[in-house]
Amino acid sequence: MTTLHPRPSTPTPASVTLAPTSAPDWLTVIRHAARLEFAHLGLPQARAEAWRYTSVQPLEALTRPTPPYPDAGRRSSAAPLVAAWASLTPCSLVLVNGHFVPELSRIAALPRGAVAGDLKTAVADDLPSLKALFDLQTHDPGRGLTALNTASFVDGVVLLVPAGVEVPEPIQVILIQVGEGTPTASQPRLVLSLGPESAATFIETHLFATTTPVAANVTTQVQLADGARLEHLRYCENAPAALHVERTEVTVSRDASYASSVFLAGGALSRDELCVALNGPGAKVVASGLSLGHGRDHLDAQTVVEHHAPHTTSDQLYKAVYDDHASGVFAGKVVVHPGAVKTDARQSNRNLLCADTAVADTRPQLEIYADDVKCSHGATVGALDPQALFYLQSRALGLDAARALLTRAFAAEALARVANPGVKAAWQRELGRRLGAAEGFPS
Amino acid sequence: MTTTLKELGLTDYKFGFVTDIAADSAPPGLSEDIIRFISAKKHEPEWLTLWRLKSYRHWLTMEEPRWAHVRYNPIDYQQIIYYSAPSQRPGPKSLADVDPELLKTYDRLGVPLHERALLAGVAVDAVFDSVSVATTFKEKLAELGIIFCSFSEAVQTHPALVQKYLGSVVPQGDNFFAALNSAVFTDGSFCYVPKGVRCPMELSTYFRINAAKTGQFERTLLIADDGAAVSYLEGCTAPMRDENQLHAAVVELVALGDAHIKYSTVQNWYPGDKNGKGGIYNFVTKRGACRGARSKISWTQVETGSAITWKYPSVILQGDASVGEFYSVAVTANHQQADTGTKMIHIGKNTASTIISKGIAAGFGQNAYRGLVKIQPGADGARNYSQCDSLLFGDKSGAHTFPYIEVKNHTAQVEHEATTSKVSDDQLFYLRQRGLSEEDAVTMIVSGFCKQVFRNLPMEFAVEAQKLLSMSLEGAVG
């Protein structure tokens, strides 16, 4: 009935690195190639178009060594955070500083043939479908960070769902950063593969149990076979000293559908890159995002959607609220390749600036090489509508309450697209808490 | 759709004739000597010669930009002739002195230069290759204090004005092509409208590249003083040639307090043949500065020609409550490529800008809109609305949108919208069943698509633009 990795009873040594001997030859080759590729590509350069509005200087931190397996003290400091979020789903896998921690993870029964577990064990077992996933290549200058991750990841999470299987409960991976004495950078790797006509929900929750600077470079690879359906939800907690960069590469086959939602709740530098290739007719992606920036946060949401096949659909809605000195970026590119006729691509980006000193930069892009298509994008930046504020004030709401209510309504639209009810409720709660919840209104 | 429209724009270039006039040219190539030669030929004061040399030295340190969404073979800047003047008696005093061959050329172009100018009420400063040929209506404008003459003449007669404003909007080292232009520009138009004067007629320049292997580097400087208003028209054509020709112009507009400038362009440079051979590289820097409060600059462009178009008419909104507008129709057919758009830089309070861009791509044409809307921290109450629509004909054409929106003030309101689609079968079917031929139906749909832009053109140009567009559409339906 259940296949889970690793066996919960497996003792975990205090310091684990992926020993070359435990890795299959093909992975050693791929990692070696990635090392060379990273040596060639390096970190993104300041003049790179994809990094136009985000400073590349902090990225230097990502080349630090990966942290060792967290000691008992660090594992226990992660426990309260796990407890707060693990209730979302019966199955949650916990990575602390990029290492899988079995005693914090909760394992539930999965349908026959489905695998959810840590990557290191999966690699050691040399699961046959893994190789194909690592072979996935995209040609993008952003690959430098992916190559860095491939070359240096220690552990991660793998989700494999065989043909025709629907996983009823969402699988959650909780990634926690705990401060280390010496500066380190964790490189978690998440690998998801859904077989034909299968379905799953995958939640990533990134949390920080530290105020010291930490850095993480997450790479997620998603492969959806014909007719597969995945809801992929990413939440990134506010961390004033954290550098968080995540790149998700998705391939969507015929009639498969991929739904992505990302909630960036803050961070010194938090960047979510989503690259989706719609490779088969009828493939579909629905992506939404919400960025909430306070203090000196810098939040960056990037999407690239490539329509390679006819009759493909993409629909994106990204919203952002920036307060104080926060700044944020949205860059969304839609490419319709030759032959991808009957493409329907929509994209919308809306930004709300709440303070004089907040900054929003947005760069929606359309590149279209086929004629029979319907593509549109829209972007707005502005403050709250004074008339709407006036209306609420004339209904006896204080100015602050009116602002909070309108801001919340603005932001909530992005969360409305989350299908999983548990996550939607949790995220809405977070939103309410962060916006100082319009007092006296139900959250 | 039952009938293909991919042949859109296959009609022959109707202005592709060569005028045979002995030209007084510099040898090909670029060096400090050539720049001194140009400067000496034009009897320029020393400050201008030095200004050119400074630009040239800066240009040498620059790299040709590669970010535009266009492809072309490297340009050999040493193969270009930087100075080519039709040789004639010095200083034409009246139209009678002008070479009749030249006048015939304009005749075929339909420039209202002679008596027709009077009828049309248009004052024309015609630039033939690099030297302004004749300027009509000069006296009439002079009565109002308006200076409208060729750039070289302005350098001789109004050096103080030229020195004050030249390079003040587009600095010498602004970009690669602007630096090149600053070094080698040969002529262009100069216009100064004094305080409180509304120019009573449309001013117009007609550019034409005639000689082979020449580049055209004209420089236009237009100043509207406090409370002045002027509408300026610019049209461009070039003969058919196999090789590519470079056109790197600079246009600078200065609007002081309450001044209004309306700048309209119909660009119909030779686009190259059906296989993409030949044609003009149109790499132009156009920028206006709304220096005074409540000033307004409005760019309207209809881009149907050129093998490659690379231009971004921009407005710097410095004055409080100043207004910038950009209306554009860009057509790329056959192998034409266009990367065009605008930049609106909001600096003053309560500044407003509107961007309406319509792109039409047919055949192998690639049409990109690239625009920047920048709201600086002090631009309280700034407002921008942008709309970029693309119409595609044929599955080999491409339409691209690259808007950049940078907002550093929370009271600003910025909106951007873009859509891309082909002519819908439903629209065509509806018009066909009302008895229109498919060609007429397409023409009607396309002019409807462009209407928002055309209605901002002055009368004379609206007619010409409509004509150009329907000419491109001839034979589009097979």
Short mmCIF file of all heavy atoms in Angstrom, two decimals, chain A residues 49 52-53 353 355-356 359-373 375-383, chain B residues 69 366 392 394-395 397-410 412-422:
data_model
loop_
_atom_site.label_atom_id
_atom_site.label_comp_id
_atom_site.label_asym_id
_atom_site.label_seq_id
_atom_site.Cartn_x
_atom_site.Cartn_y
_atom_site.Cartn_z
N GLU A 49 19.56 40.78 -18.20
CA GLU A 49 18.22 41.33 -18.31
C GLU A 49 17.30 40.76 -17.22
O GLU A 49 16.48 41.48 -16.66
CB GLU A 49 17.67 41.01 -19.71
CG GLU A 49 16.38 41.67 -20.07
CD GLU A 49 16.46 43.19 -20.25
OE1 GLU A 49 17.59 43.74 -20.19
OE2 GLU A 49 15.40 43.81 -20.41
N ARG A 52 17.61 42.70 -13.96
CA ARG A 52 17.64 44.14 -14.14
C ARG A 52 17.23 44.90 -12.87
O ARG A 52 17.80 45.93 -12.56
CB ARG A 52 16.68 44.48 -15.28
CG ARG A 52 16.71 45.91 -15.72
CD ARG A 52 15.65 46.12 -16.80
NE ARG A 52 15.63 47.51 -17.20
CZ ARG A 52 16.29 48.00 -18.24
NH1 ARG A 52 17.00 47.18 -18.96
NH2 ARG A 52 16.23 49.26 -18.55
N TYR A 53 16.22 44.39 -12.18
CA TYR A 53 15.70 45.14 -11.04
C TYR A 53 16.05 44.52 -9.69
O TYR A 53 15.52 44.91 -8.66
CB TYR A 53 14.18 45.27 -11.17
CG TYR A 53 13.74 46.03 -12.40
CD1 TYR A 53 12.98 45.43 -13.39
CD2 TYR A 53 14.12 47.36 -12.56
CE1 TYR A 53 12.60 46.13 -14.52
CE2 TYR A 53 13.75 48.06 -13.68
CZ TYR A 53 12.97 47.45 -14.66
OH TYR A 53 12.60 48.15 -15.77
N LEU A 353 1.04 50.26 -4.14
CA LEU A 353 2.09 50.90 -3.36
C LEU A 353 1.44 51.62 -2.18
O LEU A 353 0.55 52.45 -2.37
CB LEU A 353 2.87 51.91 -4.22
CG LEU A 353 3.66 51.33 -5.38
CD1 LEU A 353 4.39 52.43 -6.14
CD2 LEU A 353 4.66 50.29 -4.91
N ALA A 355 3.30 53.19 0.38
CA ALA A 355 4.15 54.20 1.01
C ALA A 355 4.93 54.95 -0.05
O ALA A 355 5.19 54.43 -1.14
CB ALA A 355 5.10 53.55 2.00
N ASP A 356 5.31 56.17 0.32
CA ASP A 356 6.11 57.03 -0.56
C ASP A 356 7.35 56.35 -1.09
O ASP A 356 7.79 56.61 -2.20
CB ASP A 356 6.65 58.20 0.28
CG ASP A 356 5.65 59.31 0.36
OD1 ASP A 356 4.62 59.18 -0.31
OD2 ASP A 356 5.90 60.28 1.11
N VAL A 359 8.66 50.77 -3.97
CA VAL A 359 8.98 50.78 -5.40
C VAL A 359 8.45 49.51 -6.06
O VAL A 359 8.58 48.42 -5.51
CB VAL A 359 10.52 50.83 -5.61
CG1 VAL A 359 10.88 50.68 -7.08
CG2 VAL A 359 11.09 52.13 -5.06
N ALA A 360 7.83 49.66 -7.22
CA ALA A 360 7.40 48.48 -7.98
C ALA A 360 7.92 48.59 -9.40
O ALA A 360 7.78 49.62 -10.04
CB ALA A 360 5.88 48.40 -7.98
N ASP A 361 8.55 47.55 -9.86
CA ASP A 361 8.99 47.48 -11.25
C ASP A 361 8.30 46.29 -11.90
O ASP A 361 8.31 45.19 -11.35
CB ASP A 361 10.51 47.29 -11.33
CG ASP A 361 11.25 48.50 -10.77
OD1 ASP A 361 10.84 49.63 -11.09
OD2 ASP A 361 12.22 48.31 -10.02
N THR A 362 7.73 46.51 -13.05
CA THR A 362 7.06 45.39 -13.70
C THR A 362 7.42 45.35 -15.17
O THR A 362 7.60 46.38 -15.80
CB THR A 362 5.54 45.41 -13.45
OG1 THR A 362 4.92 44.47 -14.33
CG2 THR A 362 4.93 46.77 -13.71
N ARG A 363 7.55 44.14 -15.67
CA ARG A 363 8.03 43.97 -17.03
C ARG A 363 7.32 42.76 -17.66
O ARG A 363 7.89 41.69 -17.74
CB ARG A 363 9.54 43.73 -16.99
CG ARG A 363 10.25 43.85 -18.29
CD ARG A 363 11.73 43.91 -18.03
NE ARG A 363 12.16 42.80 -17.20
CZ ARG A 363 12.85 41.76 -17.68
NH1 ARG A 363 13.19 41.70 -18.91
NH2 ARG A 363 13.21 40.79 -16.86
N PRO A 364 6.08 42.95 -18.08
CA PRO A 364 5.42 41.84 -18.77
C PRO A 364 5.92 41.78 -20.21
O PRO A 364 6.21 42.81 -20.80
CB PRO A 364 3.94 42.24 -18.72
CG PRO A 364 3.93 43.71 -18.56
CD PRO A 364 5.25 44.15 -17.99
N GLN A 365 6.06 40.62 -20.75
CA GLN A 365 6.57 40.50 -22.12
C GLN A 365 5.79 39.48 -22.92
O GLN A 365 5.42 38.44 -22.40
CB GLN A 365 8.03 40.01 -22.12
CG GLN A 365 9.00 41.02 -21.62
CD GLN A 365 10.43 40.56 -21.87
OE1 GLN A 365 10.66 39.60 -22.58
NE2 GLN A 365 11.37 41.26 -21.28
N LEU A 366 5.58 39.81 -24.17
CA LEU A 366 4.96 38.85 -25.08
C LEU A 366 5.89 38.66 -26.26
O LEU A 366 6.35 39.63 -26.85
CB LEU A 366 3.63 39.39 -25.61
CG LEU A 366 2.41 39.42 -24.70
CD1 LEU A 366 1.27 40.14 -25.39
CD2 LEU A 366 1.98 38.01 -24.36
N GLU A 367 6.19 37.42 -26.60
CA GLU A 367 6.92 37.15 -27.84
C GLU A 367 6.10 36.14 -28.61
O GLU A 367 5.93 35.01 -28.19
CB GLU A 367 8.30 36.56 -27.55
CG GLU A 367 9.35 37.60 -27.28
CD GLU A 367 10.73 36.99 -27.10
OE1 GLU A 367 11.16 36.22 -27.97
OE2 GLU A 367 11.36 37.30 -26.07
N ILE A 368 5.59 36.58 -29.76
CA ILE A 368 4.63 35.75 -30.46
C ILE A 368 5.08 35.48 -31.88
O ILE A 368 5.33 36.39 -32.65
CB ILE A 368 3.25 36.42 -30.41
CG1 ILE A 368 2.80 36.49 -28.95
CG2 ILE A 368 2.23 35.64 -31.22
CD1 ILE A 368 1.72 37.46 -28.69
N TYR A 369 5.21 34.20 -32.21
CA TYR A 369 5.67 33.80 -33.54
C TYR A 369 4.63 32.96 -34.28
O TYR A 369 4.97 32.17 -35.14
CB TYR A 369 6.98 33.02 -33.43
CG TYR A 369 8.10 33.79 -32.77
CD1 TYR A 369 8.32 33.71 -31.41
CD2 TYR A 369 8.92 34.63 -33.52
CE1 TYR A 369 9.33 34.43 -30.80
CE2 TYR A 369 9.94 35.35 -32.93
CZ TYR A 369 10.14 35.25 -31.56
OH TYR A 369 11.14 35.97 -30.96
N ALA A 370 3.37 33.09 -33.90
CA ALA A 370 2.32 32.36 -34.60
C ALA A 370 1.13 33.30 -34.72
O ALA A 370 0.96 34.17 -33.86
CB ALA A 370 1.93 31.11 -33.81
N ASP A 371 0.33 33.17 -35.77
CA ASP A 371 -0.68 34.22 -35.96
C ASP A 371 -2.03 33.93 -35.33
O ASP A 371 -2.69 34.83 -34.85
CB ASP A 371 -0.84 34.56 -37.45
CG ASP A 371 -1.48 33.42 -38.23
OD1 ASP A 371 -1.32 32.26 -37.79
OD2 ASP A 371 -2.11 33.68 -39.25
N ASP A 372 -2.42 32.66 -35.29
CA ASP A 372 -3.78 32.40 -34.84
C ASP A 372 -3.79 32.21 -33.32
O ASP A 372 -3.95 31.10 -32.82
CB ASP A 372 -4.32 31.16 -35.56
CG ASP A 372 -5.82 31.03 -35.36
OD1 ASP A 372 -6.41 31.90 -34.69
OD2 ASP A 372 -6.40 30.06 -35.87
N VAL A 373 -3.60 33.28 -32.61
CA VAL A 373 -3.47 33.19 -31.16
C VAL A 373 -4.26 34.31 -30.50
O VAL A 373 -4.61 35.30 -31.12
CB VAL A 373 -1.99 33.33 -30.73
CG1 VAL A 373 -1.15 32.24 -31.31
CG2 VAL A 373 -1.44 34.70 -31.13
N CYS A 375 -3.57 36.56 -27.23
CA CYS A 375 -2.65 36.82 -26.12
C CYS A 375 -2.90 38.21 -25.58
O CYS A 375 -3.12 39.14 -26.33
CB CYS A 375 -1.20 36.76 -26.59
SG CYS A 375 -0.75 35.16 -27.25
N SER A 376 -2.86 38.33 -24.29
CA SER A 376 -2.99 39.66 -23.73
C SER A 376 -2.23 39.73 -22.42
O SER A 376 -2.02 38.72 -21.76
CB SER A 376 -4.46 39.99 -23.50
OG SER A 376 -4.99 39.16 -22.50
N HIS A 377 -1.77 40.91 -22.10
CA HIS A 377 -1.26 41.10 -20.75
C HIS A 377 -1.62 42.50 -20.28
O HIS A 377 -1.89 43.40 -21.06
CB HIS A 377 0.24 40.82 -20.65
CG HIS A 377 1.12 41.80 -21.37
ND1 HIS A 377 2.37 41.48 -21.79
CD2 HIS A 377 0.93 43.06 -21.74
CE1 HIS A 377 2.90 42.52 -22.38
NE2 HIS A 377 2.06 43.49 -22.36
N GLY A 378 -1.67 42.63 -18.99
CA GLY A 378 -1.98 43.92 -18.41
C GLY A 378 -1.15 44.11 -17.16
O GLY A 378 -0.82 43.15 -16.48
N ALA A 379 -0.78 45.35 -16.89
CA ALA A 379 -0.02 45.62 -15.67
C ALA A 379 -0.46 46.96 -15.13
O ALA A 379 -0.70 47.90 -15.88
CB ALA A 379 1.48 45.66 -15.97
N THR A 380 -0.61 47.05 -13.84
CA THR A 380 -0.95 48.33 -13.23
C THR A 380 -0.10 48.54 -11.99
O THR A 380 0.30 47.59 -11.33
CB THR A 380 -2.43 48.41 -12.81
OG1 THR A 380 -2.67 47.40 -11.84
CG2 THR A 380 -3.37 48.23 -13.97
N VAL A 381 0.17 49.80 -11.70
CA VAL A 381 0.82 50.17 -10.44
C VAL A 381 0.07 51.38 -9.92
O VAL A 381 -0.21 52.30 -10.69
CB VAL A 381 2.30 50.55 -10.65
CG1 VAL A 381 2.96 50.87 -9.32
CG2 VAL A 381 3.05 49.46 -11.37
N GLY A 382 -0.27 51.38 -8.66
CA GLY A 382 -0.96 52.55 -8.15
C GLY A 382 -1.22 52.45 -6.66
O GLY A 382 -0.82 51.49 -6.01
N ALA A 383 -1.88 53.47 -6.15
CA ALA A 383 -2.26 53.47 -4.74
C ALA A 383 -3.73 53.07 -4.65
O ALA A 383 -4.39 52.86 -5.66
CB ALA A 383 -2.03 54.86 -4.15
N HIS B 69 15.25 43.62 -30.45
CA HIS B 69 14.74 42.37 -30.98
C HIS B 69 14.79 42.39 -32.51
O HIS B 69 13.78 42.26 -33.18
CB HIS B 69 13.31 42.15 -30.48
CG HIS B 69 12.84 40.74 -30.62
ND1 HIS B 69 13.05 39.79 -29.66
CD2 HIS B 69 12.19 40.11 -31.62
CE1 HIS B 69 12.54 38.66 -30.06
NE2 HIS B 69 12.01 38.81 -31.23
N GLN B 366 8.71 41.08 -38.27
CA GLN B 366 8.81 40.98 -36.81
C GLN B 366 8.58 42.37 -36.23
O GLN B 366 9.27 43.31 -36.58
CB GLN B 366 10.20 40.48 -36.38
CG GLN B 366 10.54 39.09 -36.87
CD GLN B 366 9.70 38.01 -36.23
OE1 GLN B 366 9.29 38.14 -35.07
NE2 GLN B 366 9.40 36.96 -36.97
N LEU B 392 -1.72 40.22 -36.35
CA LEU B 392 -0.81 39.33 -37.07
C LEU B 392 -1.45 38.80 -38.33
O LEU B 392 -2.63 38.44 -38.34
CB LEU B 392 -0.44 38.15 -36.16
CG LEU B 392 0.50 38.44 -35.01
CD1 LEU B 392 0.38 37.36 -33.95
CD2 LEU B 392 1.92 38.53 -35.51
N GLY B 394 -0.45 35.83 -41.06
CA GLY B 394 0.49 34.80 -41.50
C GLY B 394 1.27 34.21 -40.34
O GLY B 394 1.61 34.90 -39.38
N ASP B 395 1.54 32.91 -40.43
CA ASP B 395 2.13 32.24 -39.27
C ASP B 395 3.65 32.40 -39.21
O ASP B 395 4.29 31.82 -38.34
CB ASP B 395 1.74 30.75 -39.25
CG ASP B 395 2.11 30.05 -40.54
OD1 ASP B 395 2.73 30.70 -41.40
OD2 ASP B 395 1.78 28.86 -40.67
N SER B 397 4.95 35.53 -39.20
CA SER B 397 5.19 36.86 -38.65
C SER B 397 5.27 36.77 -37.13
O SER B 397 4.89 35.77 -36.54
CB SER B 397 4.06 37.79 -39.07
OG SER B 397 2.83 37.29 -38.59
N GLY B 398 5.78 37.81 -36.52
CA GLY B 398 5.92 37.80 -35.06
C GLY B 398 5.56 39.14 -34.46
O GLY B 398 5.83 40.18 -35.04
N ALA B 399 4.94 39.11 -33.30
CA ALA B 399 4.60 40.35 -32.60
C ALA B 399 5.06 40.22 -31.16
O ALA B 399 4.81 39.20 -30.52
CB ALA B 399 3.11 40.59 -32.63
N HIS B 400 5.76 41.21 -30.68
CA HIS B 400 6.37 41.11 -29.36
C HIS B 400 6.12 42.38 -28.56
O HIS B 400 6.02 43.45 -29.13
CB HIS B 400 7.87 40.86 -29.50
CG HIS B 400 8.19 39.90 -30.60
ND1 HIS B 400 7.83 38.58 -30.54
CD2 HIS B 400 8.76 40.09 -31.81
CE1 HIS B 400 8.19 37.98 -31.67
NE2 HIS B 400 8.75 38.89 -32.46
N THR B 401 6.03 42.23 -27.27
CA THR B 401 5.80 43.39 -26.42
C THR B 401 6.76 43.35 -25.25
O THR B 401 6.82 42.36 -24.54
CB THR B 401 4.35 43.36 -25.87
OG1 THR B 401 3.50 42.92 -26.91
CG2 THR B 401 3.92 44.73 -25.41
N PHE B 402 7.54 44.40 -25.09
CA PHE B 402 8.49 44.46 -23.98
C PHE B 402 8.32 45.76 -23.19
O PHE B 402 9.11 46.68 -23.32
CB PHE B 402 9.94 44.43 -24.50
CG PHE B 402 10.26 43.27 -25.40
CD1 PHE B 402 10.28 43.44 -26.77
CD2 PHE B 402 10.53 42.02 -24.88
CE1 PHE B 402 10.58 42.38 -27.62
CE2 PHE B 402 10.84 40.96 -25.72
CZ PHE B 402 10.86 41.14 -27.09
N PRO B 403 7.27 45.87 -22.42
CA PRO B 403 7.13 47.10 -21.64
C PRO B 403 7.95 47.03 -20.34
O PRO B 403 8.08 45.96 -19.75
CB PRO B 403 5.64 47.15 -21.33
CG PRO B 403 5.20 45.73 -21.39
CD PRO B 403 6.17 44.94 -22.19
N TYR B 404 8.49 48.15 -19.94
CA TYR B 404 9.18 48.25 -18.66
C TYR B 404 8.45 49.30 -17.85
O TYR B 404 8.28 50.42 -18.31
CB TYR B 404 10.64 48.69 -18.85
CG TYR B 404 11.50 47.67 -19.57
CD1 TYR B 404 11.35 47.45 -20.92
CD2 TYR B 404 12.45 46.94 -18.87
CE1 TYR B 404 12.13 46.52 -21.58
CE2 TYR B 404 13.23 46.00 -19.52
CZ TYR B 404 13.07 45.80 -20.89
OH TYR B 404 13.84 44.88 -21.53
N ILE B 405 8.02 48.95 -16.67
CA ILE B 405 7.29 49.90 -15.83
C ILE B 405 8.02 50.02 -14.50
O ILE B 405 8.18 49.02 -13.80
CB ILE B 405 5.83 49.44 -15.64
CG1 ILE B 405 5.15 49.31 -17.00
CG2 ILE B 405 5.07 50.41 -14.74
CD1 ILE B 405 3.88 48.51 -16.98
N GLU B 406 8.49 51.21 -14.19
CA GLU B 406 9.25 51.41 -12.95
C GLU B 406 8.59 52.53 -12.16
O GLU B 406 8.54 53.67 -12.62
CB GLU B 406 10.69 51.78 -13.28
CG GLU B 406 11.35 50.78 -14.22
CD GLU B 406 12.77 51.15 -14.61
OE1 GLU B 406 13.33 52.12 -14.06
OE2 GLU B 406 13.33 50.46 -15.48
N VAL B 407 8.06 52.20 -11.01
CA VAL B 407 7.29 53.18 -10.25
C VAL B 407 7.93 53.40 -8.89
O VAL B 407 8.09 52.46 -8.11
CB VAL B 407 5.83 52.72 -10.08
CG1 VAL B 407 5.02 53.78 -9.35
CG2 VAL B 407 5.21 52.44 -11.43
N LYS B 408 8.29 54.63 -8.63
CA LYS B 408 8.92 54.96 -7.35
C LYS B 408 8.09 55.99 -6.59
O LYS B 408 8.61 56.71 -5.75
CB LYS B 408 10.34 55.50 -7.59
CG LYS B 408 11.27 54.46 -8.19
CD LYS B 408 12.71 54.90 -8.15
CE LYS B 408 13.66 53.76 -8.43
NZ LYS B 408 13.46 53.15 -9.76
N ASN B 409 6.83 56.13 -6.92
CA ASN B 409 5.98 57.06 -6.19
C ASN B 409 4.61 56.42 -6.03
O ASN B 409 4.00 55.99 -7.02
CB ASN B 409 5.87 58.38 -6.95
CG ASN B 409 5.08 59.40 -6.17
OD1 ASN B 409 3.94 59.17 -5.79
ND2 ASN B 409 5.69 60.54 -5.92
N HIS B 410 4.12 56.36 -4.78
CA HIS B 410 2.91 55.57 -4.56
C HIS B 410 1.64 56.29 -4.98
O HIS B 410 0.59 55.68 -5.06
CB HIS B 410 2.83 55.09 -3.12
CG HIS B 410 2.30 56.12 -2.17
ND1 HIS B 410 2.94 57.30 -1.95
CD2 HIS B 410 1.20 56.13 -1.38
CE1 HIS B 410 2.27 58.01 -1.07
NE2 HIS B 410 1.20 57.33 -0.71
N ALA B 412 1.28 57.57 -7.87
CA ALA B 412 1.20 57.44 -9.32
C ALA B 412 0.20 56.35 -9.70
O ALA B 412 -0.04 55.42 -8.93
CB ALA B 412 2.56 57.09 -9.88
N GLN B 413 -0.35 56.51 -10.86
CA GLN B 413 -1.27 55.48 -11.35
C GLN B 413 -0.81 55.08 -12.75
O GLN B 413 -0.77 55.92 -13.65
CB GLN B 413 -2.67 56.06 -11.39
CG GLN B 413 -3.73 55.03 -11.13
CD GLN B 413 -5.10 55.65 -11.20
OE1 GLN B 413 -5.27 56.83 -10.92
NE2 GLN B 413 -6.08 54.86 -11.60
N VAL B 414 -0.43 53.84 -12.88
CA VAL B 414 0.14 53.39 -14.15
C VAL B 414 -0.64 52.17 -14.63
O VAL B 414 -0.86 51.23 -13.88
CB VAL B 414 1.62 53.01 -13.96
CG1 VAL B 414 2.21 52.51 -15.26
CG2 VAL B 414 2.41 54.20 -13.45
N GLU B 415 -1.05 52.22 -15.87
CA GLU B 415 -1.78 51.09 -16.43
C GLU B 415 -1.17 50.68 -17.75
O GLU B 415 -0.84 51.54 -18.57
CB GLU B 415 -3.23 51.47 -16.70
CG GLU B 415 -4.07 51.69 -15.49
CD GLU B 415 -5.41 52.27 -15.89
OE1 GLU B 415 -6.31 51.51 -16.23
OE2 GLU B 415 -5.51 53.52 -15.89
N HIS B 416 -1.02 49.41 -17.96
CA HIS B 416 -0.51 48.94 -19.24
C HIS B 416 -1.37 47.77 -19.70
O HIS B 416 -1.69 46.89 -18.92
CB HIS B 416 0.94 48.47 -19.09
CG HIS B 416 1.46 47.78 -20.30
ND1 HIS B 416 2.14 48.45 -21.28
CD2 HIS B 416 1.36 46.51 -20.71
CE1 HIS B 416 2.44 47.60 -22.24
NE2 HIS B 416 1.97 46.42 -21.91
N GLU B 417 -1.71 47.80 -20.98
CA GLU B 417 -2.50 46.71 -21.53
C GLU B 417 -1.92 46.33 -22.87
O GLU B 417 -1.52 47.20 -23.64
CB GLU B 417 -3.92 47.19 -21.82
CG GLU B 417 -4.90 47.04 -20.70
CD GLU B 417 -6.26 47.48 -21.18
OE1 GLU B 417 -6.46 48.69 -21.38
OE2 GLU B 417 -7.10 46.61 -21.38
N ALA B 418 -1.89 45.07 -23.17
CA ALA B 418 -1.46 44.67 -24.50
C ALA B 418 -2.26 43.47 -24.96
O ALA B 418 -2.59 42.59 -24.17
CB ALA B 418 0.02 44.33 -24.50
N THR B 419 -2.57 43.46 -26.24
CA THR B 419 -3.26 42.29 -26.80
C THR B 419 -2.62 41.94 -28.13
O THR B 419 -2.05 42.79 -28.81
CB THR B 419 -4.75 42.57 -27.06
OG1 THR B 419 -4.84 43.62 -28.02
CG2 THR B 419 -5.49 42.95 -25.81
N THR B 420 -2.72 40.68 -28.49
CA THR B 420 -2.24 40.23 -29.79
C THR B 420 -3.27 39.28 -30.37
O THR B 420 -3.73 38.39 -29.67
CB THR B 420 -0.89 39.50 -29.65
OG1 THR B 420 0.03 40.38 -29.03
CG2 THR B 420 -0.37 39.08 -31.00
N SER B 421 -3.61 39.50 -31.61
CA SER B 421 -4.54 38.55 -32.23
C SER B 421 -4.44 38.69 -33.73
O SER B 421 -3.74 39.54 -34.24
CB SER B 421 -5.96 38.84 -31.76
OG SER B 421 -6.30 40.17 -32.11
N LYS B 422 -5.15 37.82 -34.44
CA LYS B 422 -5.24 38.01 -35.88
C LYS B 422 -6.62 38.57 -36.20
O LYS B 422 -7.47 38.65 -35.32
CB LYS B 422 -4.98 36.70 -36.60
CG LYS B 422 -6.00 35.61 -36.33
CD LYS B 422 -5.72 34.45 -37.24
CE LYS B 422 -6.97 33.60 -37.42
NZ LYS B 422 -6.84 32.66 -38.52
#
